[in-house]
Amino acid sequence: MIAIQLENIGKAFPKTGTVLNAVSLKVEKGAFWSLLGPSGSGKTTLLRILSGLEESDSGTRQLNESGEGDVAFVFQEPALLPWLTVEENIRLPGELLRKPFTSSDVDRVIALVGLGAARGHLPSELSGGMKMRVSLARALATLPQYLFLDEPFAALDEVTRLELEEELSVITKTLGTTTVLVTHSITEAVFLADRVLLLSAHTHQIDREFAIDEPRPRKRTFRAAETYTMVVHEIRERFVTLGSTR
Amino acid sequence: MRSSWPALAVFVLVSCLAELILAFGWIPAYLVPRPSVVLTVLVQDFSELWGAFRDTTVAAVGGFVISGCVGLVSALLIQRFPLVDRALYPYAVFFQTVPIIAIAPLLVIWIGFGLSTVIAASAIVCIFPIISNTLDGFRSANASLLDLFRLYRASERDVLLRLRLPSAVPAIFSGLRVSAGLAVIGAIVGEFVAGGGIGGLVDIARTQQRVDKVFAAILMGAGLGLALVKAVDFGRYIFTRRGYNVAQ
């Protein structure tokens, strides 16, 4: 079943010119896709159009939303309200949608991302990894059908990043969320996604798609698997070629 | 909150230095009084100075509170309605650019002599920094958080009260801090023309060539300004503890 469908999406900005040129894609329900590409290839713009935060100049977008709170977005920065506690930040979407979460809703999502001890803390009292967990918990609190992530782990240290990647793999599979991730990390894209899309900053289109035939959620051992290494190598080679064609 | 002993040490040092310079007669006493003489005036004329201080405090605090409330509401309206921005903001700039000493005589004609005129002078002087800083604060709301609120279809009211207003707290306190000092200046200038308070006392002492009394009154005015700024700093400190000035 197709969950997201884009047809001939085009987008240009006054300062940078064309960023997306007739991009089409179909994401199946419950799938995890990663968007990779050099700077200026339109990854983030494509993600914002997918989530509805940005309007395209041309083309159509279809998202089978069934209600409010179906779409969640995790930003590159944690984007937490500094004056609210962890629990209050997680409750925010429910309050904005006028559908307050129950205590069990909050407990569930806090347990899901491992935030139990920090629920009463202010964001300033948390580490970068913990803040990103809160951001993820807030996004998952509405049990969204669609989860869009814009380089969420870019600012984290390597160990925290690997840990959160594994947790995200389990969470998205468990909840059956249709997920699209923008990242600069080839290894992250391959570890998490069913399909990796490589965007070109030259043509402003999808250059190539790579399928990763490994069931999700993936375990740490997958990073040592031959399939993983091969796909990472293949994408890297193409990435280098794309970079030199700019 | 930071310790104030270095500032006190500088005050004591400068006073001692001034005492020495004036004792040797390098500067005539009719221009600058010796700090010890000013201290004597502060003690001897305390009841008169205290009465003036109390009047100026009422006027300055009154002007500060009024401009704080009006400034905040104006900034809210300017932020919410672009038409109000175009209609009101030029007047806010006008109040900032026209010197209060030029407006004060008009206030006496319109409102009359007394406390009301002094409060009005104080409020006019300190309203612009509050409006300007609050608006800057509203506009500084984090772009990702604005996206988040849009994603969850937040109402305009929610965006304002849950995001823009709390985001503006550090900027609001910056505006209040500037305005706290200006409130005292506005009140004293208002008193020059409307009478009463420290301004009135300075004006009378000036005509009597009582430089020592002028200095004593100035000291009390400075003390009032400092106390107001410290009160604002304490308010900022309370909010800081709740995360309101943390970079997002």
Side-chain angles (χ1 to χ4, degrees), chain A residues 48 51 53 65 68 71-73 75 77 79-85 88 92-93 95-98 122 124 138-139, chain B residues 142-145 147-155 157-159 162-163 166-167 240-244 246-248:
Chain A
R48 289 176 64 84
S51 66
L53 283 174
E65 289 176 76
E68 291 174 329
V71 176
F73 202 105
F75 300 89
E77 50 175 338
L80 304 174
L81 294 174
W83 49 89
L84 298 185
T85 62
E88 289 164 342
L92 184 70
E95 288 169 8
L96 296 178
L97 291 165
R98 305 278 182 262
L122 289 173
S124 57
R138 181 182 60 194
Chain B
N142 180 293
S144 298
L145 282 168
D147 276 342
L148 187 86
F149 273 59
R150 199 151 54 89
L151 197 68
Y152 292 116
R153 295 163 194 178
S155 64
R157 188 170 170 270
D158 275 339
V159 174
R162 289 174 180 267
L163 179 57
S167 300
T240 303
R241 289 173 61 195
R242 182 62 202 184
Y244 280 94
V246 177
Q248 294 161 34

Side-chain angles (χ1 to χ4, degrees), chain A residues 100-117:
Chain A
F101 302 139
T102 62
S103 292
S104 62
D105 290 338
V106 178
D107 291 345
R108 176 184 47 79
V109 81
I110 280 179
L112 199 63
V113 297
L115 277 170

Side-chain angles (χ1 to χ4, degrees), chain B residues 113-201:
Chain B
F113 290 96
L115 185 63
S116 306
T117 298
V118 181
I119 289 177
S122 173
I124 287 170
V125 166
C126 56
I127 196 163
F128 184 79
I130 294 171
I131 295 178
S132 175
N133 279 273
T134 306
L135 277 174
D136 282 349
F138 284 159
R139 288 165 185 162
S140 73
N142 180 293
S144 298
L145 282 168
L146 283 167
D147 276 342
L148 187 86
F149 273 59
R150 199 151 54 89
L151 197 68
Y152 292 116
R153 295 163 194 178
S155 64
E156 283 285 338
R157 188 170 170 270
D158 275 339
V159 174
L160 185 63
L161 297 180
R162 289 174 180 267
L163 179 57
R164 289 196 188 276
L165 189 59
S167 300
V169 165
I172 291 172
F173 273 102
S174 294
L176 290 174
R177 200 170 197 276
V178 173
S179 292
L182 290 175
V184 178
I185 294 172
I188 291 176
V189 171
E191 286 164 350
F192 277 141
V193 289
I198 292 173
L201 190 75

